[in-house]
Amino acid sequence: MNKDLLSPIALAGHTLNNRMVMAPLTRNRAPGSLANAMMVKYYAQRSSAGLIITEGTQISEQGVGYPATPGIYSQQQIDGWKQVTNAVHEQGGAIFAQLWHCGRISHPSFHNGELPVAASAIKPAGQAVTYEGMQTFVEPRALFAEEIPGIIEQYRHAAACAKEAGFDGVEIHAANGYLIDQFIRDGSNNRSDQYGGSLENRTRLLLQIVAAVGSEIGFHKVGVRISPINAFNDISDSDPQSTFNHVASSLSGLGLAYLHVVEVDMTGQSDPEFDMQQLRDRFDGLYIANGGYDKTRGNQSIAENRADMIAFGVPFLANPDLPERFRTDAALNTPDQATFYGGDEHGYTDYPTLGAE
């Protein structure tokens, strides 16, 4: 059978309608860290995606790093998300929650003056987005080894909450310079204990989180997102190919739902020095490719077996009916960047569908 973006695929016990994934997109429209009616409408509108991955959703108060981002650790948050998952399921869609801990990419103003936590006490360059505007990042506090089981427990608890909220699975956010990425990469991890130094040690936290989450909800309902060449949030590694080859190999054989790879940096550029195919070859599950794909390139990647599914970010943001637009070769809406973060329904739930213009 010829495979393309619009062909079905089995994932996490479901047969998805297509191979188009709505990528996780932070929108800062969850005051009080609660999913709300506006978010219900937003996700339901996009439920023709084969799979929706929610915006980054913090696993605890300690995990917060941005204003008005949702959480998945309290009963009130579960109840809010339940309305979202019900709406998506009513439309025949599937939805995973992205589990997020920002680590050092945060600010004391989110934590009653306490320092953000990280793998090591290394201050990132740049500024935090806070309720008081942009503020310079602070030097974080390095987590003590005895605190790390508590971090793993936060992920397990969040996965249990996601299951109760009706999600079809979860994605562990190990990308883009947030907490897990801070442990994986040697530019942000100078620990000398069992979580630092060797590749095995630096990937230990990720694998322990995967084990805890998989044991809680089933490994076939767990995906992992990585971003090997992305320097976002001042993250770096001296040998990203070796580091992320090791990550991909280590995640293989666990029966995971997928490996989701951001193949570009924050400017949308790829790195000719980095071979993504090596990750694909080392991981035995579904491979989701992310990074500036359009219909033509997505179909080509799937046909040539370089990816099983393709994640689209901004195109889904501006086109709630993106699969239908691809199917009919319809024109795409123009995204309004001024409304990406924060605000109301404008630029959020008011992008027209085909026939509604």
Side-chain angles (χ1 to χ4, degrees), residues 58-65 73 77 101 106 110-112 154:
Q58 56 257 1
I59 57 169
S60 64
E61 288 184 26
Q62 186 195 59
V64 176
Y73 51 89
Q77 291 165 345
H101 191 309
S106 186
F110 292 113
H111 307 290
N112 299 315
Q154 289 176 22

Side-chain angles (χ1 to χ4, degrees), residues 253-290:
L254 301 177
L256 298 182
Y258 60 77
L259 180 64
H260 181 182
V261 183
V262 182
E263 298 181 336
V264 294
D265 64 19
M266 284 312 273
T267 67
Q269 299 301 304
S270 56
D271 179 359
E273 301 291 306
F274 193 99
D275 181 11
M276 297 291 167
Q277 186 64 38
Q278 293 186 33
L279 305 182
R280 168 78 160 146
D281 293 343
R282 280 166 173 75
F283 181 69
D284 65 351
L286 298 180
Y287 181 99
I288 300 177
N290 177 304

Side-chain angles (χ1 to χ4, degrees), residues 16-67:
L16 306 183
N17 296 326
N18 56 65
R19 294 165 185 254
M20 296 174 64
V21 178
M22 178 179 166
L25 298 160
T26 292
R27 303 301 305 274
N28 305 94
R29 283 171 166 88
S33 293
L34 298 171
N36 51 52
M38 193 164 65
M39 290 168 62
V40 172
K41 183 177 179 183
Y42 168 76
Y43 282 112
Q45 286 174 340
R46 287 154 182 81
S47 51
S48 64
L51 175 66
I52 292 172
I53 304 168
T54 70
E55 61 210 276
T57 302
Q58 56 257 1
I59 57 169
S60 64
E61 288 184 26
Q62 186 195 59
V64 176
Y66 296 88

Side-chain angles (χ1 to χ4, degrees), residues 171-200:
E171 175 175 282
I172 295 167
H173 192 353
N176 298 354
Y178 298 113
L179 183 68
I180 297 173
D181 208 15
Q182 292 159 28
F183 272 82
I184 292 172
R185 305 217 213 186
D186 60 15
S188 47
N189 181 344
N190 60 14
R191 301 177 72 96
S192 55
D193 62 2
Q194 61 178 336
Y195 292 97
S198 68
L199 280 174
E200 183 184 13

